[in-house]
Amino acid sequence: MGDTTVQLLMRKMGIHGSVPTATSPGEKRTAKKCVTIGARSADVGGGEIDTLKEEHRNNLANPSLLWMVQQIDTRVAGICWAPDAFDDIPTLKAYFDAKRGPTSAKPRTREGSESVLPESVLDELKKDVQGTVHDSLGGVTSWWLLEYIPLWKPFLDGNKQQWKELNINRGRGREILHERPLFHRSVELLLNQSEDPSKAQSKAQYKPRARYSTDDPNQMPVYVDH
């Protein structure tokens, strides 16, 4: 099997410098951003296929890896990537090539749903989502045992106060309350591909598992690039 997405990121990082920390003992720095990435957990983590094989260079783990690299680039100062760190990953190579080249970003719409990714990166993402979606909970599998272990689940009430409750997941997706769901561009590409009858049957049934109110116009998903 190939590296998981996190292992690959750590192996590929040519990092010099340090991550900034709180400037005073009492200061708290908290940033939360929940983005639904296309495909299933096993795909996003990169553990379902051998990503070192040439035919798997474009795969469903690349969007999440790209997202993590973008978060580091935009939020962490003092990070220097090795020049050839991602040369063997087409999506990331296109991203860094575009960063080094002249900028030609599209204007962002008010809703933030129109992609502002360079065309070269978007083209690689379209290739990435052509991979097979692997559902670890499909059929009879031992993974279901973990879905019935009670765990404490944090949630926000109507006043946006944080609480926690004992919860049994039972294979359900993440529930999104009191905010607009953020869907990664890969979700949109997978859904568009699902509507194409010429695509593979495994992707034709793709649907994000995140749960949110479809009746509330304020909870309609926003598609984001990072």
Side-chain angles (χ1 to χ4, degrees):
M1 303 296 286
D3 291 337
T4 66
T5 303
V6 174
Q7 289 172 332
L8 181 61
L9 182 62
M10 297 305 296
R11 182 167 63 84
K12 291 289 188 180
M13 277 174 120
I15 297 179
H16 307 281
S18 59
V19 177
T21 57
T23 55
S24 63
E27 181 184 354
K28 293 183 179 179
R29 298 181 58 143
T30 303
K32 295 180 181 178
K33 186 176 183 180
C34 294
V35 177
T36 297
I37 308 288
R40 303 295 182 221
S41 296
D43 302 305
V44 171
E48 281 291 339
I49 60 173
D50 187 346
T51 56
L52 299 179
K53 289 186 176 181
E54 184 66 32
E55 63 267 29
H56 293 152
R57 293 301 191 200
N58 283 100
N59 61 79
L60 287 163
N62 288 347
S64 60
L65 181 59
L66 172 64
W67 184 85
M68 287 190 285
V69 168
Q70 289 172 311
Q71 298 307 302
I72 294 171
D73 268 358
T74 57
R75 298 176 187 275
V76 181
I79 296 296
C80 297
W81 301 97
D84 59 348
F86 299 104
D87 278 358
D88 55 348
I89 305 174
T91 310
L92 274 295
K93 185 177 187 306
Y95 168 73
F96 282 106
D97 285 347
K99 279 187 64 178
R100 288 190 285 265
T103 58
S104 57
K106 305 172 188 174
R108 185 180 297 277
T109 60
R110 184 176 64 85
E111 295 82 3
S113 289
E114 181 183 346
S115 178
V116 295
L117 287 172
E119 287 297 329
S120 58
V121 179
L122 199 57
D123 287 343
E124 294 299 337
L125 281 176
K126 290 176 181 177
K127 296 176 187 177
D128 290 334
V129 300
Q130 292 175 18
T132 301
V133 176
H134 300 88
D135 189 355
S136 300
L137 296 178
V140 180
T141 169
S142 57
W143 285 108
W144 277 106
L145 296 175
L146 301 179
E147 292 293 316
Y148 280 84
I149 297 176
L151 297 172
W152 287 106
K153 172 187 173 183
F155 70 96
L156 297 177
D157 63 16
N159 297 318
K160 295 191 176 182
Q161 296 297 309
Q162 184 164 315
W163 302 83
K164 62 180 180 179
E165 63 181 359
L166 201 59
N167 177 69
I168 298 177
N169 195 54
R170 303 194 302 277
R172 296 172 296 177
R174 179 171 61 92
E175 186 176 19
I176 303 174
L177 300 171
H178 316 303
E179 59 183 312
R180 295 192 74 171
L182 299 180
F183 283 3
H184 187 258
R185 190 66 52 194
S186 56
V187 175
E188 182 182 41
L189 294 175
L190 270 168
L191 289 173
N192 290 342
Q193 194 168 246
S194 298
E195 297 172 359
D196 186 344
S198 66
K199 301 301 181 181
Q201 60 281 9
S202 62
K203 296 185 286 294
Q205 283 105 35
Y206 173 76
K207 182 180 179 181
R209 281 208 172 124
R211 295 177 292 148
Y212 55 93
S213 174
T214 56
D215 299 325
D216 185 352
N218 294 320
Q219 271 213 302
M220 295 304 293
V222 175
Y223 292 104
V224 298
D225 294 317
H226 58 81

